[in-house]
């Protein structure tokens, strides 16, 4: 499981020696108090570490270099309590490789009308100190998030928490390893991409393996581990009679357990955070890994079907963003439509690989033919997804850049039961409606594979895309096709020009 408590966000305050030691002492006390408050906030999943107040170009530069080399530091929260001349920040910010959030707040909530004097004014200068700092960020064309409001306000804490979760996902991508069993599904375009460019731009590395490497690990799985895994299935799920110990398909359940044990051993030994499979390359495997993939996703691994390494990495990123939040994240695909006067809907599913973290109620473990691939019937988890607001996001290699497109949706109960559909599924109404959402998605070149979540929001993805310097397009209740097409054109122009800036 994913634990974000090992990460740190550094709380960094700017000032200058002009104010004298007593003022700087007070600035430090206030900063320490705010950092401690954020560290205890229910919205903040990491540690928040107070750093000494910065008053010189040298101390700023040293801190930025220290942040770059600190593996557990995922970013900085910066705040100018007083006026901090921004030329002091140029050297440090030029070297800073970690994301930073600019908090525009002040220690006091309200003006003390009857007592305010120039001493108070000189101490509490965020109103213009942060504007000075904001200028240098804009002049240097630095990506950062700006949060405005009193530090104790709930919306301020929530915005900071969203950014921190995105920063955790970005940190997790740096040096991450994705295992690709087999190659891309033949003749498919959108799941392809430039893996070298992804490593340069996004930080993670994709390792290719023949399916024989996985088969070897599966065959080496110990009988004791396979027996223990099989019993786990029987204990955790509503297992159909055919897969029970005396059922005619029990051997298939044991084979599914052997595949999972082997796959877990392989991924753990290689320190992988995500992986892909493809039903077109299963040589040596008795069945397509379905149950194993579903359970590995539940435990935090990213996954992409048919060799889709970009979606696999995005699923992992969204798993990290949502760690500890109820709702879940899953690999998903827009599978088929329901055109209806009551509202056009999308039935999302996949052949097998939908994560149980999004399940509603108890999950059924069953076995059915796959219909394609020419392998033995695979075991799989079957369930209806939870209802409520969710988001589906896709990442594509557009040639000159990577693009993330996301659609906010509302998951609803199925109109009728689906007794013959042997896969996990979710039924949703895209915002603003299917006609607009699908057209916008297609204009954007969105993939058919997505990372789907009830816990991650459009704001998480926006912050993440800005850290990664990746184009981000959102389809929601405010989307209009003509405006969306203009945004696509403007973005094309911007990203071409930005290469020369």
């Amino acid at each position: 499981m994913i634990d974000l408590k090992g990460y740190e966000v550094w709380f960094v305050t700017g000032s200058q020696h002009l104010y004298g030691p007593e003022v700087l002492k007070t600035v430090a006390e206030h900063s320490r108090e705010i950092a401690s408050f954020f560290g205890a906030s229910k919205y903040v999943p990491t540690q928040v570490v107070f750093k000494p107040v910065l008053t010189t170009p040298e101390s700023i530069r040293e801190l930025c270099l220290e942040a770059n080399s600190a593996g557990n530091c995922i970013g900085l929260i910066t705040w100018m309590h007083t006026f901090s001349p921004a030329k002091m920040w140029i050297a440090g910010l030029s070297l800073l490789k970690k994301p930073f959030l600019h908090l525009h707040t002040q220690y006091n909530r309200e003006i003390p009308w009857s007592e305010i004097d120039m001493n108070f004014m000189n101490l509490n200068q965020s109103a213009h100190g942060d504007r000075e700092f904001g200028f240098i960020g804009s002049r240097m064309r630095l990506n950062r998030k700006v949060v405005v409001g009193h530090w104790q306000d709930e919306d301020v804490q929530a915005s900071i928490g969203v950014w921190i979760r995105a920063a955790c996902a970005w940190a997790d991508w740096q040096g991450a390893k994705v295992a690709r069993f087999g190659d891309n599904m033949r003749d498919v375009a959108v799941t392809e991409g430039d893996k070298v460019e992804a490593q340069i731009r996004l930080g993670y590395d994709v390792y290719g393996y023949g399916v024989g490497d996985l088969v070897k690990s599966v065959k080496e799985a110990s009988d004791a581990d396979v027996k223990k895994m099989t019993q786990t299935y029987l204990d955790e799920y509503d297992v159909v009679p055919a897969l029970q110990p005396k059922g005619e398909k029990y051997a298939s359940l044991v084979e599914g357990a052997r595949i999972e044990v082997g796959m877990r051993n392989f991924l753990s030994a290689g320190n992988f955070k995500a992986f892909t499979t493809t039903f077109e390359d299963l040589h040596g495997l008795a069945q397509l890994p379905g149950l194993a993939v579903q359970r590995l996703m539940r435990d935090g691994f990213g996954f992409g079907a048919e060799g889709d390494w970009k979606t696999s990495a995005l699923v992992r990123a969204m798993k990290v963003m949502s760690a500890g939040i109820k709702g879940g994240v899953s690999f998903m695909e827009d599978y088929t439509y329901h055109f209806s006067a009551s509202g056009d809907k999308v039935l999302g599913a996949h052949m097998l690989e939908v994560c149980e973290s999004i399940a509603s109620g108890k999950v059924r473990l069953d076995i059915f033919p796959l219909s394609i691939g020419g392998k033995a019937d695979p075991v799989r988890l079957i369930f209806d997804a939870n209802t409520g607001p969710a988001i589906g996001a896709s990442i594509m290699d557009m040639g000159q850049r990577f693009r993330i497109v996301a659609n906010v949706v509302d998951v609803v109960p199925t109109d009728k039961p689906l007794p013959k559909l042997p896969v996990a599924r979710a039924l949703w109404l895209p915002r603003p409606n299917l006609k607009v959402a699908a057209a916008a998605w297609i204009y954007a070149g969105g993939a058919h594979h997505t990372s789907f979540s009830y816990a991650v929001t459009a704001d998480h993805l926006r912050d993440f895309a800005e850290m990664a310097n990746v184009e981000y397009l959102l389809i929601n209740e405010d989307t209009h096709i003509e405006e969306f097409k203009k945004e696509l054109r403007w973005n094309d122009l911007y990203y071409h020009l930005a290469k020369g800036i």
Side-chain angles (χ1 to χ4, degrees):
M1 304 301 287
I2 298 168
D3 182 9
L4 304 184
K5 277 299 179 184
Y7 284 128
E8 294 179 354
V9 174
W10 292 359
F11 192 84
V12 177
T13 307
S15 187
Q16 59 178 322
H17 286 292
L18 175 68
Y19 299 103
E22 287 303 314
V23 168
L24 292 178
K25 180 181 177 182
T26 302
V27 168
E29 290 171 353
H30 290 174
S31 300
R32 190 185 299 275
E33 181 181 347
I34 295 173
S36 178
F37 178 83
F38 286 147
S41 171
K42 65 180 180 180
Y43 295 101
V44 175
T46 64
Q47 301 177 62
V48 178
V49 177
F50 163 79
K51 288 293 178 177
V53 177
L54 300 177
T55 56
T56 66
E58 293 76 17
S59 63
I60 293 169
R61 183 178 183 275
E62 288 172 9
L63 181 129
C64 290
L65 289 173
E66 182 186 358
N68 288 344
S69 61
N72 57 348
C73 173
I74 60 168
L76 312 181
I77 298 175
T78 57
W79 173 48
M80 305 303 113
H81 191 312
T82 61
F83 195 80
S84 179
K87 286 177 65 178
M88 295 196 305
W89 290 84
I90 293 174
L93 293 178
S94 297
L95 296 169
L96 182 65
K97 301 298 184 183
K98 299 291 177 74
F100 74 97
L101 178 148
H102 182 185
L103 176 62
H104 185 41
T105 190
Q106 63 184 26
Y107 179 75
N108 59 297
R109 181 182 291 277
E110 298 177 346
I111 294 174
W113 302 106
S114 61
E115 300 176 5
I116 187 169
D117 56 18
M118 283 310 301
N119 287 333
F120 182 94
M121 293 281 275
N122 287 331
L123 174 63
N124 298 284
Q125 293 192 55
S126 304
H128 78 293
D130 276 325
R131 283 173 166 78
E132 167 76 355
F133 183 72
F135 165 76
I136 207 63
S138 296
R139 173 68 188 269
M140 296 173 69
R141 296 185 174 91
L142 299 175
N143 286 340
R144 78 277 196 202
K145 181 171 183 174
V146 178
V147 175
V148 180
H150 191 261
W151 50 279
Q152 292 178 325
D153 288 347
E154 195 159 354
D155 63 333
V156 169
Q157 298 173 59
S159 293
I160 291 173
V162 165
W163 178 85
I164 287 175
R165 288 182 173 278
C168 288
W170 179 243
D172 183 75
W173 262 14
Q174 307 314 300
K177 296 169 64 179
V178 179
R180 199 171 186 229
F181 298 117
D183 201 354
N184 194 60
M185 184 177 173
R186 291 186 280 276
D187 289 329
V188 176
V190 75
T191 51
E192 287 283 14
D194 188 336
K195 293 186 280 293
V196 173
E197 188 69 10
Q199 187 173 356
I200 294 170
R201 299 285 180 186
L202 306 178
Y204 61 81
D205 193 4
V206 182
Y207 290 73
Y209 293 95
V211 177
D213 295 314
L214 175 58
V215 170
K216 181 176 183 291
S217 183
V218 170
K219 288 181 176 179
E220 291 174 349
S222 72
D223 290 341
D225 286 344
V226 173
K227 183 178 180 180
K228 183 178 179 182
M229 185 65 71
T230 305
Q231 188 59 49
T232 297
Y233 298 161
L234 296 169
D235 292 340
E236 290 188 9
Y237 304 112
D238 182 9
V239 181
V240 299
L243 293 174
Q244 295 284 347
K246 295 183 179 180
E248 67 271 22
K249 296 287 188 179
Y250 180 67
S252 295
L253 185 68
V254 175
E255 185 61 31
R258 186 171 298 278
I259 291 173
E260 180 174 347
V261 171
M263 196 171 256
R264 281 185 182 274
N265 289 344
F266 188 100
L267 295 172
S268 297
N271 196 30
F272 292 101
K273 294 179 177 179
F275 66 103
T276 73
T277 62
T278 172
F279 66 86
E280 285 191 323
D281 194 354
L282 296 173
H283 185 72
L285 291 176
Q287 55 182 263
L288 176 64
L291 177 59
V293 171
Q294 291 177 293
R295 286 171 48 81
L296 283 160
M297 264 196 289
R298 180 199 69 177
D299 292 343
F301 286 90
F303 174 75
E306 292 115 38
D308 188 353
W309 50 271
K310 296 188 299 299
T311 299
S312 175
L314 184 59
V315 170
R316 168 65 186 191
M318 290 173 66
K319 289 281 188 183
V320 172
M321 289 181 217
S322 65
I325 302 177
K326 184 178 179 181
V329 176
S330 178
F331 173 77
M332 186 61 75
E333 180 173 277
D334 294 58
Y335 223 105
T336 194
Y337 292 142
H338 178 66
F339 289 113
S340 170
S342 63
D344 298 338
K345 304 181 183 76
V346 177
L347 183 63
H350 204 257
M351 291 184 297
L352 298 175
E353 308 96 343
V354 177
C355 178
E356 64 178 289
S357 67
I358 67 169
S360 173
K362 193 163 185 181
V363 177
R364 184 170 97 250
L365 203 167
D366 211 332
I367 181 170
F368 288 94
L370 188 61
S371 300
I372 57 177
K375 286 291 182 178
D377 299 347
V379 291
R380 80 285 298 276
L381 302 176
I382 301 174
F383 53 85
D384 288 320
N386 282 312
T387 58
I391 196 166
S394 180
I395 185 167
M396 301 79 66
D397 184 345
M398 303 304 294
Q400 305 84 15
R401 64 188 182 278
F402 291 95
R403 170 184 287 168
I404 293 175
V405 59
N407 185 198
V408 180
V409 305
D410 294 290
V411 184
V412 297
T414 58
D415 293 17
K416 295 181 181 180
L418 300 166
K420 294 185 178 181
L421 186 62
V423 292
R425 59 273 180 147
L427 183 72
W428 63 78
L429 292 155
R431 298 184 192 177
N433 55 60
L434 178 58
K435 291 182 184 297
V436 172
W441 192 275
I442 290 169
Y443 279 123
H448 54 285
H449 290 162
T450 62
S451 178
F452 186 83
S453 179
Y454 299 85
V456 174
T457 67
D459 289 336
H460 289 100
L461 293 171
R462 180 182 295 106
D463 287 348
F464 182 74
E466 288 183 356
M467 291 172 193
N469 197 25
V470 168
E471 181 185 9
Y472 176 64
L473 296 162
L474 178 63
I475 304 167
N476 62 9
E477 59 274 13
D478 298 323
T479 299
H480 299 276
I481 288 297
E482 289 308 312
E483 293 303 313
F484 191 82
K485 289 168 70 176
K486 289 178 184 177
E487 184 177 0
L488 287 169
R489 296 188 190 104
W490 295 334
N491 285 4
D492 272 336
L493 180 61
Y494 167 77
Y495 281 98
H496 278 96
L497 291 175
K499 290 184 176 181
I501 294 178

